Amino acid sequence: MLKTIRYYAGMGIYYIKLSLLGWMEYPMNLAAWLGTNLLQFLVGFATIKFVVQEFGALNGWTYSQIAFLYGLAMLSHAFSIILFIQTWHIGGIMLAGELDRFLLRPMNVLFQFLFMDFNLIGLTDLLPGVIIFIYGCMQVRFSWTLYSTLAIMAVLFGATLIRGALFMATGSIAFWTKSNSDFSGINLNIMDRTTMYPLTMYPRIIQMIFTFVLPFGFISFFPASAFLGMDNGFSFPSWIIWFTPVVGIAVFTLSCLLFCAGLRKYDSAGS
Amino acid sequence: MPLIKVNDLVKEYTVIKKGKGLKGALKSLLHKEKEILRAVNHISFSIQHGEIVGYIGPNGAGKSTTVKMLSGILSPTSGEILIDGLSPQKDRKRVVQNLGVVFGQRSQLNWDLRLGESFELLKRIYRIDDRQYQENLAMMDAILEIHKFIHTPVRQLSLGQRMRGDLAAAMLHSPQVLFLDEPTIGLDVDGKQAIRKFVKEINRLKQTTVILTTHDLGDIQELCSRLIIISEGTIVEDGSLSDLIDRIAPYRILHVELYEEAELPIHPLAEKIRQDGTAAVYRFDKKKVTAAQLIEDLSCFCKMKDFRLEEARIEDIIRAAYHKKEKLEGV
Amino acid sequence: MRPYLYIAKVRMLSALAYRFDVLSSIVIQCLAVIASCFFWIAAYGNQQAALGVTRDQMLTYTVMSSTLACLLTMNVENRIAASVQKGSVALDLLKPVNIFGIYLWEDIGSVAIAFLQNAVPLLLIGALFIVAPVPASAAHFLLFILSAAFSYMINWLIAALFGMWSFRIVRIFPLLCMKGHMIRLLSGSVIPLWFFPQWLQTVLSFLPFRYIYQLPLSVYIGILSPRETAAQMGIQFIWILLLGCLFFEIKKGVTRHLLVQGG
């Protein structure tokens, strides 16, 4: 058991080292992605800065509060891009025959999926995420206590898993459709819309969907409203913060099961 | 106990029949017509330690499906596979630890890394200890001369170099069994020779059991001590190439040319097919009479100017086996 | 003309073949536009107008912006990049038909298909759930069509110019993403530029981006005076000429370079 954990930890680190080597061969590429991602965050930031400031508030949320919400959301976005971007391409990897290669190695297939081409480019998402989060914290004068620090960490952990679960679940559909359909656009779009702004601006039914069916409300909206004492539409108490890691683990487990079911399906049918 | 044991293996695929044209497309939207396709149909064989087996057959015969099942990528519909006593489906990780697989069409090497770095990665994946790794690397280098391009990024390697790299990569963890799927496809003459030399050497030095699928007659003739021929999902032939030749094409043809026209006799052990003036053609069973004997016998009757022996072509023999013909026509 | 029309037709047929991707692109666009409209509804709150634009005008602007966005999608940059990466670019440039003409007509074929399969559902969904996106008047509508056609040319030329970077840069994808974000931010497609600080608006009026989205959309909702409309469409046309000249210059340079270097 201990030996297995050591093996996978060592392999994970080694894969990260390899992708570091790979990216060092194209430093311009890294710079271009950094510029691209900074620009992308600028689009989101300009929206809240210019529009929300012009109107004074968005559904009762001030500009500063939305900046905090946005920063919190962007951090887990960056982590999920670093850890789970591979699962966007399950269809492509399968059709290229790479999946056969994974199956030929004495190693867990999901582990290979996640670490094979470790995405350091995701770090270029992290930098603007950190900047916006720090800015948002300063704007709302977030009080850093032991409790709030732990809570933020738990929220980031859970939120990253919720995002990863969505990537993995939609990616796993390829096992059944045997096609290379790309859900990343739709996923990123939906998550942007549900994590950057207060969910309460949507009709009741949409709030319900993003709470109970696709629990994206737990990524940033419920935690942020609890931290800031804002109305979350469901009168959830402030310990709803701690639901984020629970929901994250639950949906991530579900999507792992889906992935495994897909892999078994692949086993019996091939590509 | 055989190293690989395959018992009554079946693999079925369900395919959805698609109608033709717009009308058919609409119809298949409403009602999907399913069809079961049997790619592998009750196959059984066993392979002993240290054999080199050619697993051949026409395209679509079920070769890759079998290899994929043997290596744990696909699950069989029914039947049993044991590799060194373990099922590749139930014990995937343990079985593949003992397996090397090379696909001629796609590489397992990492495109962005140097060849040596790819090896280092495999060393970690397969948990190869330093001594064994160094030993194996030295041995691979002696056969394949990989040191010349070990520091080159894989994307810059030629096909022949890449293939040699792939073979070495597959053998680094000293697997007992090596699957080669069309290893010489697209290679030049030297490249093919290097691959064949490698297979022979690792078989001799490490007693590695090799199963290769190929369409290359050179591979079959030079490497395979045994052929398993599969056609339309079933095994049609299992034995050595020479046995196959003896059975399917037992005859040889002797062309005789005389100085002057003379009636040639009928030989008791050879059939005279035709004679046009000074040229005559005999067909004989090589097990019953040797060519030398036949020539000696015939030269008692007339003065021979020239003669030429004709053998059945390997290509024709294998094609006949694919089509389940008992005897080769013509020769 | 004949071969180009045929190319446009083939493009339309092959676009229809990817049914799933088509369906998902329609769904994503409809959801996105509805979400954007909720954002604006929440932002306006009880206010009827902001900066001289009413809530309904803003919603029309948003729906029409998404509609225009799906008509302005193009493939020219990816086609150039693919041709360079495959190494077939030298052959492509020497073909008896103008390769950029082919790309342009392929893209125009895509516009026709995008109108039917993306724009029409978007407009319907917008009309049903949010606000009927009606133009200020028939004259405004005609001017919008003309201006949108100009937008298309500006957008196409910018895409083609970015595509030309692939001759210099191996991994062009992040650069193309950057271009997309730049247009999203600076053209008024997501947020109208009148929300931006004055100094930024002044800077942006010297760049071509605002003439891609903001101008035709402002014409559509009728917030520009006839004089402003005429002046801005004049500038829009000048941008086409400028970018066109730049494009032909660079193309000439690239072709010469390829003929000397042989790809």
Side-chain angles (χ1 to χ4, degrees):
Chain A
M1 184 64 193
L2 203 68
K3 231 173 118 188
T4 314
I5 292 172
R6 243 202 354 243
Y7 169 67
Y8 280 108
M11 284 313 299
I13 291 168
Y14 193 70
Y15 277 132
I16 292 172
K17 200 181 119 196
L18 282 185
S19 59
L20 203 68
L21 283 175
W23 284 111
M24 295 224 289
E25 297 212 10
Y26 305 99
M28 276 314 288
N29 194 32
L30 203 66
W33 273 117
L34 189 63
T36 306
N37 283 323
L38 276 171
L39 206 60
Q40 188 191 357
F41 284 106
L42 223 53
V43 177
F45 188 69
T47 312
I48 53 173
K49 171 89 184 158
F50 300 141
V51 179
V52 179
Q53 227 164 20
E54 172 66 34
F55 287 101
L58 193 70
N59 249 53
W61 288 58
T62 64
Y63 158 67
S64 311
Q65 289 170 322
I66 291 196
F68 176 75
L69 174 71
Y70 185 43
L72 189 62
M74 285 308 107
L75 273 187
S76 62
H77 165 78
F79 289 132
S80 72
I81 293 285
I82 295 172
L83 288 170
F84 300 115
I85 204 169
Q86 301 308 325
T87 54
W88 293 8
H89 314 299
I90 289 176
I93 288 173
M94 184 177 77
L95 291 179
E98 275 295 300
L99 186 53
D100 290 359
R101 187 49 72 191
F102 291 173
L103 284 163
L104 286 174
R105 294 195 163 142
M107 202 192 250
N108 182 286
V109 176
L110 183 57
F111 179 85
Q112 292 186 63
F113 250 109
L114 297 181
F115 283 90
M116 203 60 190
D117 231 332
F118 194 77
N119 177 38
L120 282 168
I121 287 300
L123 291 176
T124 61
D125 282 274
L126 192 59
L127 182 66
V130 169
I131 293 173
I132 291 183
F133 181 66
I134 292 175
Y135 177 80
C137 288
M138 278 159 51
Q139 284 286 313
V140 296
R141 300 212 165 76
F142 190 77
S143 64
W144 288 98
T145 59
L146 181 66
Y147 175 82
S148 67
T149 311
L150 282 176
I152 288 279
M153 277 160 65
V155 165
L156 289 180
F157 168 76
T160 307
L161 286 185
I162 297 175
R163 288 176 187 268
L166 178 72
F167 291 157
M168 206 147 82
T170 48
S172 299
I173 291 175
F175 286 122
W176 282 273
T177 59
K178 307 264 185 296
S179 73
N180 196 6
S181 302
D182 185 1
F183 289 91
S184 58
I186 209 165
N187 287 343
L188 291 175
N189 207 316
I190 289 181
M191 282 192 292
D192 269 359
R193 306 281 182 171
T194 50
T195 60
M196 269 174 68
Y197 312 120
L199 265 188
T200 40
M201 75 184 201
Y202 295 110
R204 192 72 187 157
I205 175 79
I206 297 182
Q207 293 179 39
M208 307 272 267
I209 290 175
F210 289 119
T211 307
F212 301 111
V213 185
L214 300 166
F216 302 151
F218 292 92
I219 293 177
S220 63
F221 172 64
F222 292 134
S225 50
F227 282 126
L228 303 175
M230 297 297 289
D231 170 34
N232 56 34
F234 289 90
S235 328
F236 287 143
S238 71
W239 45 260
I240 193 73
I241 296 170
W242 300 98
F243 257 64
T244 299
V246 176
V247 170
I249 291 172
V251 290
F252 192 73
T253 311
L254 279 178
S255 70
C256 282
L257 291 176
L258 188 71
F259 179 90
C260 292
L263 201 60
R264 268 200 302 283
K265 165 84 184 163
Y266 177 82
D267 257 17
S268 61
S271 58
Chain B
M1 202 179 92
L3 185 61
I4 299 174
K5 197 165 157 44
V6 171
N7 201 4
D8 208 23
L9 193 64
V10 175
K11 178 73 198 174
E12 285 170 349
Y13 292 111
T14 320
V15 282
I16 292 160
K17 255 192 174 160
K18 276 204 178 128
K20 266 185 193 155
L22 193 62
K23 212 172 144 194
L26 285 175
K27 224 167 128 189
S28 63
L29 262 180
L30 296 171
H31 176 73
K32 279 178 186 166
E33 240 181 285
K34 283 182 181 172
E35 197 180 15
I36 288 180
L37 212 99
R38 191 168 279 186
V40 169
N41 193 358
H42 299 288
I43 278 183
S44 303
F45 57 81
S46 40
I47 291 170
Q48 302 296 330
H49 219 281
E51 277 192 275
I52 301 181
V53 178
Y55 193 65
I56 63 174
N59 291 327
K63 293 188 305 273
S64 356
T65 307
T66 318
V67 171
K68 280 183 177 177
M69 285 191 284
L70 287 177
S71 49
I73 296 172
L74 283 180
S75 308
T77 308
S78 70
E80 186 191 35
I81 301 169
L82 288 178
I83 293 182
D84 206 13
L86 295 171
S87 152
Q89 277 71 37
K90 286 177 203 134
D91 267 309
R92 186 184 69 81
K93 283 182 214 163
R94 276 176 71 193
V95 169
V96 296
Q97 181 74 43
N98 202 12
L99 224 60
V101 183
V102 176
F103 294 112
Q105 311 269 32
R106 36 183 139 94
S107 178
Q108 72 157 317
L109 305 168
N110 194 325
W111 227 234
D112 284 327
L113 299 180
R114 289 159 217 288
L115 185 60
E117 287 164 353
S118 270
F119 289 166
E120 284 282 333
L121 176 62
L122 289 168
K123 170 178 184 262
R124 286 176 168 77
I125 291 178
Y126 286 96
R127 311 181 212 202
I128 310 167
D129 65 55
D130 287 324
R131 227 193 77 218
Q132 192 194 5
Y133 178 74
Q134 292 304 338
E135 260 177 40
N136 279 344
L137 207 57
M139 189 180 106
M140 297 307 147
D141 188 41
I143 311 173
L144 295 166
E145 298 178 324
I146 39 183
H147 66 267
K148 289 178 186 161
F149 46 89
I150 199 157
H151 296 302
T152 313
V154 171
R155 61 173 180 277
Q156 289 169 13
L157 296 181
S158 74
L159 181 63
Q161 290 172 331
R162 203 216 75 200
M163 202 58 219
R164 284 191 267 168
D166 256 313
L167 284 175
M171 286 304 294
L172 280 178
H173 56 291
S174 326
Q176 279 186 293
V177 183
L178 179 63
F179 290 126
L180 301 173
D181 190 24
E182 307 198 28
T184 54
I185 194 160
L187 297 184
D188 62 23
V189 203
D190 280 340
K192 285 184 182 181
Q193 212 45 55
I195 307 293
R196 288 175 196 153
K197 185 178 141 206
F198 167 82
V199 172
K200 278 189 238 172
E201 283 292 291
I202 56 143
N203 179 258
R204 188 175 65 86
L205 294 169
K206 306 197 84 165
Q207 285 80 46
T208 310
T209 308
V210 182
I211 296 179
L212 81 154
T213 73
T214 184
H215 292 293
D216 190 295
L217 296 172
D219 293 348
I220 296 173
Q221 280 175 285
E222 279 190 48
L223 293 176
C224 307
S225 58
R226 175 178 163 197
L227 291 180
I228 296 179
I229 302 181
I230 173 173
S231 179
E232 290 169 3
T234 48
I235 292 180
V236 292
E237 200 69 50
D238 185 349
S240 71
L241 181 62
S242 57
D243 286 348
L244 186 70
I245 296 171
D246 286 349
R247 222 201 56 240
I248 289 189
Y251 300 112
R252 299 166 106 177
I253 302 270
L254 178 69
H255 295 262
V256 181
E257 208 183 331
L258 307 174
Y259 277 104
E260 51 201 46
E261 222 170 287
E263 183 63 23
L264 274 167
I266 293 162
H267 191 276
L269 293 173
E271 180 193 356
K272 189 168 110 183
I273 298 176
R274 62 173 183 269
Q275 184 174 9
D276 298 323
T278 57
V281 181
Y282 282 89
R283 184 167 85 161
F284 62 99
D285 189 328
K286 60 194 165 200
K287 282 198 291 271
K288 291 190 184 135
V289 60
T290 64
Q293 185 65 51
L294 187 62
I295 291 162
E296 202 187 313
D297 292 350
L298 291 177
S299 49
C300 302
F301 293 92
C302 53
K303 221 171 146 204
M304 265 188 233
K305 181 179 165 192
D306 201 3
F307 57 84
R308 178 166 64 85
L309 267 174
E310 194 185 316
E311 299 258 10
R313 293 191 309 164
I314 304 285
E315 200 181 334
D316 294 329
I317 293 171
I318 286 176
R319 215 173 55 222
Y322 284 0
H323 296 294
K324 300 175 193 167
K325 284 191 185 137
E326 281 304 313
K327 285 274 179 326
L328 196 59
E329 310 282 322
V331 178
Chain C
M1 206 60 189
R2 259 281 170 70
Y4 293 117
L5 278 179
Y6 179 73
I7 286 160
K9 184 183 151 200
V10 168
R11 182 77 204 145
M12 282 161 66
L13 286 176
S14 66
L16 276 174
Y18 294 96
R19 270 177 308 179
F20 174 79
D21 293 343
V22 166
L23 211 67
S24 72
S25 79
I26 295 170
V27 171
I28 190 176
Q29 273 162 354
C30 291
L31 289 179
V33 78
I34 291 174
S36 302
C37 288
F38 279 124
F39 171 78
W40 287 111
I41 291 170
Y44 270 79
N46 296 325
Q47 266 170 274
Q48 269 316 303
L51 299 166
V53 179
T54 68
R55 202 187 76 160
D56 279 2
Q57 278 178 321
M58 192 60 236
L59 293 179
T60 304
Y61 185 100
T62 307
V63 173
M64 289 311 291
S65 172
S66 306
T67 311
L68 197 55
C70 61
L71 295 180
L72 292 185
T73 44
M74 47 201 55
N75 213 11
V76 56
E77 68 248 55
N78 297 323
R79 291 298 301 267
I80 300 176
S83 162
V84 171
Q85 255 155 30
K86 270 195 329 208
S88 62
V89 63
L91 285 176
D92 284 347
L93 278 175
L94 298 176
K95 271 182 190 164
V97 281
N98 185 341
I99 190 71
F100 289 101
I102 291 182
Y103 294 158
L104 178 61
W105 281 92
E106 275 186 355
D107 284 339
I108 289 175
S110 309
V111 172
I113 217 66
F115 179 75
L116 289 176
Q117 75 187 14
N118 299 65
V120 170
L122 253 179
L123 290 172
L124 282 177
I125 293 280
L128 275 176
F129 292 104
I130 301 147
V131 65
V134 283
S137 73
H140 283 99
F141 181 73
L142 289 176
L143 277 173
F144 164 76
I145 297 288
L146 181 63
S147 179
F150 286 174
S151 300
Y152 189 86
M153 276 323 297
I154 294 181
N155 198 28
W156 194 87
L157 285 166
I158 290 178
L161 284 167
F162 263 84
M164 297 282 201
W165 274 97
S166 10
F167 289 100
R168 286 286 164 79
I169 296 169
V170 188
R171 301 199 169 184
I172 188 85
F173 186 65
L175 222 68
L176 297 180
C177 281
M178 207 190 288
K179 184 209 90 178
H181 294 319
M182 225 148 79
I183 291 184
R184 255 160 36 101
L185 179 64
L186 304 179
S187 70
S189 78
V190 184
I191 333 150
L193 300 181
W194 56 76
F195 285 103
F196 284 24
Q198 195 56 50
W199 64 269
L200 197 53
Q201 288 189 50
T202 314
V203 172
L204 291 179
S205 64
F206 290 103
L207 295 174
F209 302 112
R210 65 176 298 168
Y211 301 100
I212 304 176
Y213 280 93
Q214 174 129 345
L215 174 59
L217 294 172
S218 303
V219 169
Y220 193 85
I221 61 172
I223 54 167
L224 292 181
S225 69
R227 255 192 64 199
E228 282 172 321
T229 312
Q232 293 208 20
M233 282 180 67
I235 301 175
Q236 198 184 19
F237 190 71
I238 292 172
W239 269 116
I240 298 181
L241 295 180
L242 279 175
L243 290 169
C245 289
L246 187 61
F247 169 75
F248 281 112
E249 265 320 296
I250 290 183
K251 190 195 143 203
K252 233 182 354 196
V254 165
T255 316
R256 203 168 40 229
H257 180 78
L258 275 178
L259 287 178
V260 176
Q261 300 243 317

